[in-house]
Amino acid sequence: MQQEDNGVDTVKEAFLNLLCKVEGDDFDEFDSFVRSALDEYHNKIHDHHDMDEDSDAEEMEGDSEFVNVSPASMNRLGKIISDLRKKVPMSAEAPGEEITIPKTEEYEGYTAGNTLHVDGFLFTEEDVDDLCDQGTLSRNYCLDCNSKNVKPLNFISHSASVLQLQFLYQVALANQTSGKTILDIGSRLGAVLYSGYLFSDTKKLIGVEINSWFHNVQVDTVAKYKMKDRIELVQADIQAVPQLIAQADIIVMNNVFQFFNDLDVQKQIWRYIRKETSKKQGLLIVTLPSLQDQLKQAGLPVKKTLGGWVKQVKLDYSSHWFESELSEDDVDEISQVHLYRVI
């Protein structure tokens, strides 16, 4: 009498059939993916048991909340970054995009000749060091051609780094995203969206981007990595779509206006943002850098603008959150993430 296959045998057979489809050159990558996926599955099981055994754990932890990111999620984000590096220039600037360095104290002395735009989402500091060692990049510029009179270049990024995104979802917004909608204003490459998809359990992520080239990059990436179930992409000026702000529970704005608009336009947009977000008491707003800095750069009165609008949420920027010790530069990096609540 033939013995019925149990569920495990069926899964084993399906897995072996999948293995047969993996070509030799891709086997190491598939092996890494399977191992990290199994780690993620085991972690979920253990987390579930821990919750059953100690229902007061969250209350006991108090402010020390932290959301783990699985190796599988980090691996997938790494693949997205690798793909984007092949599609976009190192600066991650769109064709024909005009970027203006703000005329503020922070950027005093920055010029087109001594400033290099390197995207912080695509390239870490270690990546930049490697590129300099290879001769692809230089950290210095010559004050007098063919002389040794050189000064360090100024580096600017228009995207949040992976470390900042980890801090955003693992610490700043820890346990605050379940069932919520996150709106990323000026989503550019989509860094906040992809990391939010992989690092959080948020219900929906909306990216609004005025530039058609960046919008199309996001559309291709979301389709390739099958993230359409939770990511919505809108090509528009945020001032034309107030309904998106009305939908949001959390809004993220990273270096969003000051490099791309003149002061009059910046003031207009910030007044619009204040007006629309003020309609949603309790709405969370994340900015990089701080709202105070961005409003000051736009030439708006900081205290008057913030008064009656938002209250800043204190964040813990200490390095103990992460397994590996953070350097002073790393701590400075995550300290650019600021959180506010509409009052």
Side-chain angles (χ1 to χ4, degrees), residues 299-315:
L300 288 167
V302 177
K303 277 192 174 183
K304 183 179 178 181
T305 306
L306 293 179
W309 176 25
V310 295
K311 182 177 181 181
Q312 187 159 7
V313 178
K314 187 177 180 181
L315 297 175

Side-chain angles (χ1 to χ4, degrees), residues 7 27 48 98 102 150 161 185 215 218 231 298 321 334:
F27 188 83
H48 177 73
E98 293 185 11
V150 296
S161 68
I185 297 177
H215 173 76
Q218 293 176 47
I231 293 181
W321 296 112
I334 63 174

Side-chain angles (χ1 to χ4, degrees), residues 181-185 203-209 232-251 272-273 275-277 279-280 283:
T181 295
I182 295 178
L183 172 64
D184 182 21
I185 297 177
K203 178 180 70 175
K204 189 177 186 181
L205 295 130
I206 304 172
V208 58
E209 172 55 53
E232 176 184 340
L233 302 173
V234 178
Q235 185 193 342
D237 183 333
I238 187 59
Q239 298 176 93
V241 284
Q243 68 271 21
L244 296 184
I245 294 177
Q247 290 180 45
D249 301 294
I250 301 166
I251 291 178
Y272 165 83
I273 294 288
K275 175 187 172 185
E276 294 302 323
T277 57
K279 298 174 183 177
K280 295 201 67 174
L283 173 74

